[in-house]
Amino acid sequence: MGESAAKTPFHLLCKPIGPICNLRCEHCFYLEKRSLYPRGERFRMSEATLERFIHQQIASQPEGAREIAFAWQGGEPTLVGLDFFRRAVALQKRHARSGLRITNALQTNGTRLTPEWGAFLRDEEFLVGISIDGPPELHDRYRRDARGRGSFERVLRGLGVLQKYQVEFNTLTCVQRNNGSHPQAVYRFLRGLGSRYMQFIPIVEHTPETGVSRRSVHPRQFGGFLNGVFDCWRARDIGEVFVQHFDMLLGIVMGLPASLCVHAERCGRHVAMEHNGDLFHCDHFVDPAHRLGNVMETPLRELLDSEQADRFGAHKQEGLPRYCRRCPDLRYCHGGCPAHRIDKAPGGAPGLNHLCEGYRLFYRHTLPTFEAIATSLRSGRPAAEYAQFEATRNLSSQNRSAVPRNAACPCGSGRKYKRCCRPAQSAVSRRSRFPTRSA
């Protein structure tokens, strides 16, 4: 086992049907990947490739791994058929070692989910991501089928199947120029559907002629969207609804590494595998220049730990313009997704993230609250009790030091300051183990 394990943990997106989909969403960047393969390509993972992939996915996990997550995407992965996933689960059980927990996540547009699918996904404990961009007038703007018909009603029926069979689900919403101006409407709609776990993915389509497409979300618009969602969430849903960007930023404030690859220091450990076993650095970089190899020819571990993969991962930091290196927000964004670093920084250096201004608006608006939530959690209290710590944060350092240790805490909790909001040495030590990046 040890000789075949990868150096560090990784995450792999498997695309068993490649870029094939029953919808023609205008903002989908993956449909065009059909051009990478010859005409007549079947775009369906073979039995041999499936078994090789599952075996290597399990064998390549680092020593001591207790859980392995399989992630299935497309295109539309349900097009490969339910029997394919039945076979996949059977192979996972065959190749799993003792004490290893295997989980599965399926990202789908939901339009092909039936009761048979619902029963299977429930019984095998799949986590299902449903792609939905808001209420019908916002969702159907870009998510249409080949005949130009909106997909909203079909997606909603699919979601109904998941709810009927009590399948765990989250929602994935693409934030584009159209729905990006309606954060409150989108959030409240998703909340009304019963979504408690939400992902918001910005659409940035690079075009040589205009810089970005007409569908792309504007930087300030994206920042405003996140802030609008945040305001709704903060008003009543802290601890009840979990938004991926919010969880990530809170984790960073608490000294943890970014939970999203987009905002991690390095790239290269979130790879994508096509239907025939071709492995790429990332599903945003599925092209000949970023192909690592094929798992049918080279072990997955060797591809993950290759010099090519290391160079790609390191370039995320090495390719940053000086403007980013000197930015106080670098610790939060780390330059963002390399696929979005298409703008020039002040002074003309390339490599600035197109969404930079939006991220900075997001940080300015939300960081005080996340810092207060972090303080609440460190004090052993629920996140929803953050407000009392916000009051203490607003004290100047001079006023803070003037509060006697045994006096009532200014936050209004009724506890002594020394046992409530007074900065503790342990918190200072904890921060020192996670220093901010220098310029």
mmCIF file of all heavy atoms in Angstrom, residues 10-39:
data_model
loop_
_atom_site.group_PDB
_atom_site.id
_atom_site.type_symbol
_atom_site.label_atom_id
_atom_site.label_comp_id
_atom_site.label_asym_id
_atom_site.label_seq_id
_atom_site.Cartn_x
_atom_site.Cartn_y
_atom_site.Cartn_z
ATOM 1 N N PHE A 10 -5.554 14.225 -2.162
ATOM 2 C CA PHE A 10 -6.006 14.791 -3.427
ATOM 3 C C PHE A 10 -7.502 14.562 -3.564
ATOM 4 O O PHE A 10 -8.101 13.773 -2.839
ATOM 5 C CB PHE A 10 -5.261 14.159 -4.612
ATOM 6 C CG PHE A 10 -5.532 12.687 -4.784
ATOM 7 C CD1 PHE A 10 -6.535 12.231 -5.631
ATOM 8 C CD2 PHE A 10 -4.761 11.746 -4.102
ATOM 9 C CE1 PHE A 10 -6.791 10.872 -5.775
ATOM 10 C CE2 PHE A 10 -5.010 10.383 -4.250
ATOM 11 C CZ PHE A 10 -6.023 9.947 -5.086
ATOM 12 N N HIS A 11 -8.095 15.269 -4.513
ATOM 13 C CA HIS A 11 -9.522 15.124 -4.808
ATOM 14 C C HIS A 11 -9.660 14.975 -6.308
ATOM 15 O O HIS A 11 -9.041 15.718 -7.067
ATOM 16 C CB HIS A 11 -10.290 16.357 -4.325
ATOM 17 C CG HIS A 11 -11.768 16.240 -4.491
ATOM 18 N ND1 HIS A 11 -12.454 16.840 -5.535
ATOM 19 C CD2 HIS A 11 -12.700 15.589 -3.748
ATOM 20 C CE1 HIS A 11 -13.750 16.560 -5.421
ATOM 21 N NE2 HIS A 11 -13.923 15.807 -4.360
ATOM 22 N N LEU A 12 -10.449 14.011 -6.734
ATOM 23 C CA LEU A 12 -10.568 13.706 -8.159
ATOM 24 C C LEU A 12 -12.018 13.802 -8.596
ATOM 25 O O LEU A 12 -12.900 13.188 -7.989
ATOM 26 C CB LEU A 12 -10.008 12.312 -8.446
ATOM 27 C CG LEU A 12 -9.818 11.915 -9.907
ATOM 28 C CD1 LEU A 12 -8.682 10.901 -10.038
ATOM 29 C CD2 LEU A 12 -11.092 11.326 -10.516
ATOM 30 N N LEU A 13 -12.276 14.572 -9.651
ATOM 31 C CA LEU A 13 -13.592 14.643 -10.283
ATOM 32 C C LEU A 13 -13.606 13.660 -11.448
ATOM 33 O O LEU A 13 -12.828 13.809 -12.393
ATOM 34 C CB LEU A 13 -13.870 16.052 -10.805
ATOM 35 C CG LEU A 13 -13.967 17.187 -9.784
ATOM 36 C CD1 LEU A 13 -14.193 18.509 -10.511
ATOM 37 C CD2 LEU A 13 -15.093 16.933 -8.800
ATOM 38 N N CYS A 14 -14.485 12.692 -11.382
ATOM 39 C CA CYS A 14 -14.587 11.699 -12.454
ATOM 40 C C CYS A 14 -15.763 12.052 -13.357
ATOM 41 O O CYS A 14 -16.879 12.291 -12.883
ATOM 42 C CB CYS A 14 -14.776 10.309 -11.863
ATOM 43 S SG CYS A 14 -14.970 9.024 -13.118
ATOM 44 N N LYS A 15 -15.516 12.057 -14.672
ATOM 45 C CA LYS A 15 -16.535 12.415 -15.659
ATOM 46 C C LYS A 15 -16.827 11.198 -16.537
ATOM 47 O O LYS A 15 -16.285 11.067 -17.630
ATOM 48 C CB LYS A 15 -16.060 13.613 -16.482
ATOM 49 C CG LYS A 15 -15.836 14.856 -15.598
ATOM 50 C CD LYS A 15 -15.295 16.020 -16.387
ATOM 51 C CE LYS A 15 -15.112 17.244 -15.499
ATOM 52 N NZ LYS A 15 -16.379 17.899 -15.127
ATOM 53 N N PRO A 16 -17.701 10.291 -16.065
ATOM 54 C CA PRO A 16 -17.883 9.007 -16.759
ATOM 55 C C PRO A 16 -18.556 9.119 -18.108
ATOM 56 O O PRO A 16 -18.474 8.190 -18.914
ATOM 57 C CB PRO A 16 -18.759 8.208 -15.772
ATOM 58 C CG PRO A 16 -19.494 9.253 -14.994
ATOM 59 C CD PRO A 16 -18.522 10.384 -14.857
ATOM 60 N N ILE A 17 -19.209 10.242 -18.372
ATOM 61 C CA ILE A 17 -19.864 10.449 -19.669
ATOM 62 C C ILE A 17 -19.200 11.607 -20.415
ATOM 63 O O ILE A 17 -19.685 12.079 -21.450
ATOM 64 C CB ILE A 17 -21.382 10.714 -19.477
ATOM 65 C CG1 ILE A 17 -22.167 10.454 -20.762
ATOM 66 C CG2 ILE A 17 -21.647 12.098 -18.928
ATOM 67 C CD1 ILE A 17 -22.312 9.001 -21.117
ATOM 68 N N GLY A 18 -18.045 12.056 -19.897
ATOM 69 C CA GLY A 18 -17.335 13.167 -20.516
ATOM 70 C C GLY A 18 -18.161 14.444 -20.511
ATOM 71 O O GLY A 18 -18.858 14.745 -19.541
ATOM 72 N N PRO A 19 -18.158 15.187 -21.614
ATOM 73 C CA PRO A 19 -18.895 16.458 -21.676
ATOM 74 C C PRO A 19 -20.326 16.333 -22.183
ATOM 75 O O PRO A 19 -20.993 17.345 -22.419
ATOM 76 C CB PRO A 19 -18.051 17.259 -22.673
ATOM 77 C CG PRO A 19 -17.532 16.217 -23.625
ATOM 78 C CD PRO A 19 -17.306 14.969 -22.798
ATOM 79 N N ILE A 20 -20.810 15.098 -22.352
ATOM 80 C CA ILE A 20 -22.144 14.909 -22.913
ATOM 81 C C ILE A 20 -23.214 15.322 -21.899
ATOM 82 O O ILE A 20 -23.151 14.954 -20.723
ATOM 83 C CB ILE A 20 -22.357 13.440 -23.327
ATOM 84 C CG1 ILE A 20 -21.259 13.015 -24.315
ATOM 85 C CG2 ILE A 20 -23.733 13.251 -23.943
ATOM 86 C CD1 ILE A 20 -21.168 13.873 -25.549
ATOM 87 N N CYS A 21 -24.201 16.067 -22.363
ATOM 88 C CA CYS A 21 -25.261 16.558 -21.482
ATOM 89 C C CYS A 21 -26.560 16.659 -22.264
ATOM 90 O O CYS A 21 -26.562 16.852 -23.485
ATOM 91 C CB CYS A 21 -24.884 17.930 -20.908
ATOM 92 S SG CYS A 21 -26.032 18.544 -19.648
ATOM 93 N N ASN A 22 -27.685 16.537 -21.560
ATOM 94 C CA ASN A 22 -28.991 16.670 -22.196
ATOM 95 C C ASN A 22 -29.466 18.126 -22.228
ATOM 96 O O ASN A 22 -30.494 18.430 -22.815
ATOM 97 C CB ASN A 22 -30.030 15.806 -21.466
ATOM 98 C CG ASN A 22 -30.194 16.202 -20.010
ATOM 99 O OD1 ASN A 22 -29.221 16.507 -19.327
ATOM 100 N ND2 ASN A 22 -31.416 16.174 -19.513
ATOM 101 N N LEU A 23 -28.709 19.032 -21.582
ATOM 102 C CA LEU A 23 -29.016 20.462 -21.643
ATOM 103 C C LEU A 23 -27.936 21.183 -22.437
ATOM 104 O O LEU A 23 -26.866 20.624 -22.719
ATOM 105 C CB LEU A 23 -29.124 21.052 -20.228
ATOM 106 C CG LEU A 23 -30.232 20.491 -19.333
ATOM 107 C CD1 LEU A 23 -30.251 21.232 -17.997
ATOM 108 C CD2 LEU A 23 -31.599 20.574 -19.996
ATOM 109 N N ARG A 24 -28.226 22.423 -22.785
ATOM 110 C CA ARG A 24 -27.262 23.259 -23.505
ATOM 111 C C ARG A 24 -27.138 24.603 -22.778
ATOM 112 O O ARG A 24 -27.390 25.656 -23.340
ATOM 113 C CB ARG A 24 -27.721 23.482 -24.958
ATOM 114 C CG ARG A 24 -27.774 22.221 -25.802
ATOM 115 C CD ARG A 24 -26.388 21.616 -26.002
ATOM 116 N NE ARG A 24 -26.445 20.426 -26.850
ATOM 117 C CZ ARG A 24 -26.617 19.199 -26.377
ATOM 118 N NH1 ARG A 24 -26.768 19.002 -25.069
ATOM 119 N NH2 ARG A 24 -26.654 18.171 -27.189
ATOM 120 N N CYS A 25 -26.778 24.525 -21.518
ATOM 121 C CA CYS A 25 -26.646 25.747 -20.715
ATOM 122 C C CYS A 25 -25.608 26.664 -21.360
ATOM 123 O O CYS A 25 -24.481 26.238 -21.646
ATOM 124 C CB CYS A 25 -26.232 25.412 -19.290
ATOM 125 S SG CYS A 25 -27.385 24.316 -18.431
ATOM 126 N N GLU A 26 -25.977 27.915 -21.586
ATOM 127 C CA GLU A 26 -25.103 28.842 -22.291
ATOM 128 C C GLU A 26 -23.797 29.091 -21.545
ATOM 129 O O GLU A 26 -22.762 29.345 -22.164
ATOM 130 C CB GLU A 26 -25.825 30.169 -22.524
ATOM 131 C CG GLU A 26 -26.907 30.125 -23.582
ATOM 132 C CD GLU A 26 -27.436 31.513 -23.886
ATOM 133 O OE1 GLU A 26 -26.635 32.463 -23.946
ATOM 134 O OE2 GLU A 26 -28.664 31.652 -24.049
ATOM 135 N N HIS A 27 -23.830 29.048 -20.231
ATOM 136 C CA HIS A 27 -22.618 29.358 -19.466
ATOM 137 C C HIS A 27 -21.787 28.121 -19.128
ATOM 138 O O HIS A 27 -20.836 28.209 -18.351
ATOM 139 C CB HIS A 27 -22.957 30.132 -18.187
ATOM 140 C CG HIS A 27 -24.026 29.506 -17.331
ATOM 141 N ND1 HIS A 27 -24.034 28.173 -16.988
ATOM 142 C CD2 HIS A 27 -25.127 30.042 -16.743
ATOM 143 C CE1 HIS A 27 -25.075 27.916 -16.222
ATOM 144 N NE2 HIS A 27 -25.763 29.031 -16.062
ATOM 145 N N CYS A 28 -22.134 26.970 -19.681
ATOM 146 C CA CYS A 28 -21.356 25.760 -19.418
ATOM 147 C C CYS A 28 -20.041 25.804 -20.188
ATOM 148 O O CYS A 28 -20.025 25.980 -21.408
ATOM 149 C CB CYS A 28 -22.150 24.518 -19.819
ATOM 150 S SG CYS A 28 -21.247 22.982 -19.537
ATOM 151 N N PHE A 29 -18.936 25.622 -19.469
ATOM 152 C CA PHE A 29 -17.620 25.657 -20.117
ATOM 153 C C PHE A 29 -17.170 24.268 -20.560
ATOM 154 O O PHE A 29 -16.108 24.131 -21.180
ATOM 155 C CB PHE A 29 -16.569 26.245 -19.162
ATOM 156 C CG PHE A 29 -16.272 25.376 -17.970
ATOM 157 C CD1 PHE A 29 -15.246 24.438 -18.011
ATOM 158 C CD2 PHE A 29 -17.001 25.494 -16.802
ATOM 159 C CE1 PHE A 29 -14.964 23.635 -16.921
ATOM 160 C CE2 PHE A 29 -16.728 24.699 -15.701
ATOM 161 C CZ PHE A 29 -15.705 23.768 -15.761
ATOM 162 N N TYR A 30 -17.962 23.227 -20.262
ATOM 163 C CA TYR A 30 -17.459 21.887 -20.518
ATOM 164 C C TYR A 30 -18.001 21.243 -21.785
ATOM 165 O O TYR A 30 -17.411 20.281 -22.296
ATOM 166 C CB TYR A 30 -17.754 20.969 -19.311
ATOM 167 C CG TYR A 30 -16.672 19.932 -19.116
ATOM 168 C CD1 TYR A 30 -15.445 20.275 -18.546
ATOM 169 C CD2 TYR A 30 -16.847 18.629 -19.547
ATOM 170 C CE1 TYR A 30 -14.444 19.343 -18.396
ATOM 171 C CE2 TYR A 30 -15.849 17.685 -19.401
ATOM 172 C CZ TYR A 30 -14.641 18.046 -18.830
ATOM 173 O OH TYR A 30 -13.636 17.125 -18.694
ATOM 174 N N LEU A 31 -19.087 21.732 -22.327
ATOM 175 C CA LEU A 31 -19.648 21.124 -23.532
ATOM 176 C C LEU A 31 -18.649 21.100 -24.685
ATOM 177 O O LEU A 31 -18.609 20.156 -25.480
ATOM 178 C CB LEU A 31 -20.911 21.881 -23.959
ATOM 179 C CG LEU A 31 -22.127 21.770 -23.038
ATOM 180 C CD1 LEU A 31 -23.244 22.682 -23.526
ATOM 181 C CD2 LEU A 31 -22.622 20.324 -22.962
ATOM 182 N N GLU A 32 -17.817 22.144 -24.754
ATOM 183 C CA GLU A 32 -16.871 22.256 -25.868
ATOM 184 C C GLU A 32 -15.752 21.226 -25.810
ATOM 185 O O GLU A 32 -14.994 21.058 -26.784
ATOM 186 C CB GLU A 32 -16.251 23.652 -25.880
ATOM 187 C CG GLU A 32 -15.388 23.950 -24.672
ATOM 188 C CD GLU A 32 -14.894 25.382 -24.635
ATOM 189 O OE1 GLU A 32 -15.589 26.277 -25.144
ATOM 190 O OE2 GLU A 32 -13.795 25.591 -24.089
ATOM 191 N N LYS A 33 -15.622 20.495 -24.693
ATOM 192 C CA LYS A 33 -14.540 19.523 -24.559
ATOM 193 C C LYS A 33 -14.718 18.323 -25.484
ATOM 194 O O LYS A 33 -13.799 17.509 -25.637
ATOM 195 C CB LYS A 33 -14.415 19.055 -23.106
ATOM 196 C CG LYS A 33 -14.199 20.184 -22.100
ATOM 197 C CD LYS A 33 -13.005 21.055 -22.463
ATOM 198 C CE LYS A 33 -12.856 22.215 -21.490
ATOM 199 N NZ LYS A 33 -11.751 23.133 -21.855
ATOM 200 N N ARG A 34 -15.861 18.217 -26.124
ATOM 201 C CA ARG A 34 -16.045 17.145 -27.115
ATOM 202 C C ARG A 34 -15.032 17.251 -28.243
ATOM 203 O O ARG A 34 -14.652 16.253 -28.858
ATOM 204 C CB ARG A 34 -17.468 17.210 -27.678
ATOM 205 C CG ARG A 34 -18.542 16.692 -26.739
ATOM 206 C CD ARG A 34 -19.934 16.875 -27.300
ATOM 207 N NE ARG A 34 -20.318 18.283 -27.359
ATOM 208 C CZ ARG A 34 -21.505 18.723 -27.708
ATOM 209 N NH1 ARG A 34 -22.443 17.862 -28.063
ATOM 210 N NH2 ARG A 34 -21.788 20.008 -27.723
ATOM 211 N N SER A 35 -14.579 18.467 -28.509
ATOM 212 C CA SER A 35 -13.641 18.678 -29.616
ATOM 213 C C SER A 35 -12.263 18.072 -29.341
ATOM 214 O O SER A 35 -11.444 17.950 -30.259
ATOM 215 C CB SER A 35 -13.491 20.179 -29.897
ATOM 216 O OG SER A 35 -12.935 20.848 -28.776
ATOM 217 N N LEU A 36 -11.990 17.689 -28.112
ATOM 218 C CA LEU A 36 -10.694 17.083 -27.783
ATOM 219 C C LEU A 36 -10.593 15.648 -28.278
ATOM 220 O O LEU A 36 -9.496 15.092 -28.333
ATOM 221 C CB LEU A 36 -10.470 17.116 -26.266
ATOM 222 C CG LEU A 36 -10.350 18.495 -25.610
ATOM 223 C CD1 LEU A 36 -10.213 18.341 -24.101
ATOM 224 C CD2 LEU A 36 -9.162 19.255 -26.175
ATOM 225 N N TYR A 37 -11.726 15.066 -28.622
ATOM 226 C CA TYR A 37 -11.738 13.655 -28.989
ATOM 227 C C TYR A 37 -12.250 13.494 -30.420
ATOM 228 O O TYR A 37 -12.979 14.346 -30.932
ATOM 229 C CB TYR A 37 -12.610 12.872 -27.989
ATOM 230 C CG TYR A 37 -12.023 12.923 -26.591
ATOM 231 C CD1 TYR A 37 -12.436 13.899 -25.689
ATOM 232 C CD2 TYR A 37 -11.029 12.035 -26.203
ATOM 233 C CE1 TYR A 37 -11.872 13.975 -24.416
ATOM 234 C CE2 TYR A 37 -10.469 12.097 -24.941
ATOM 235 C CZ TYR A 37 -10.891 13.074 -24.051
ATOM 236 O OH TYR A 37 -10.320 13.144 -22.802
ATOM 237 N N PRO A 38 -11.870 12.403 -31.074
ATOM 238 C CA PRO A 38 -12.236 12.229 -32.486
ATOM 239 C C PRO A 38 -13.735 12.058 -32.685
ATOM 240 O O PRO A 38 -14.475 11.683 -31.775
ATOM 241 C CB PRO A 38 -11.478 10.950 -32.885
ATOM 242 C CG PRO A 38 -11.201 10.239 -31.610
ATOM 243 C CD PRO A 38 -11.035 11.293 -30.572
ATOM 244 N N ARG A 39 -14.192 12.365 -33.874
ATOM 245 C CA ARG A 39 -15.602 12.182 -34.218
ATOM 246 C C ARG A 39 -15.976 10.712 -34.044
ATOM 247 O O ARG A 39 -15.205 9.809 -34.371
ATOM 248 C CB ARG A 39 -15.869 12.622 -35.653
ATOM 249 C CG ARG A 39 -15.674 14.113 -35.874
ATOM 250 C CD ARG A 39 -16.049 14.509 -37.282
ATOM 251 N NE ARG A 39 -17.465 14.279 -37.546
ATOM 252 C CZ ARG A 39 -18.075 14.560 -38.688
ATOM 253 N NH1 ARG A 39 -17.359 15.059 -39.709
ATOM 254 N NH2 ARG A 39 -19.365 14.339 -38.854
#
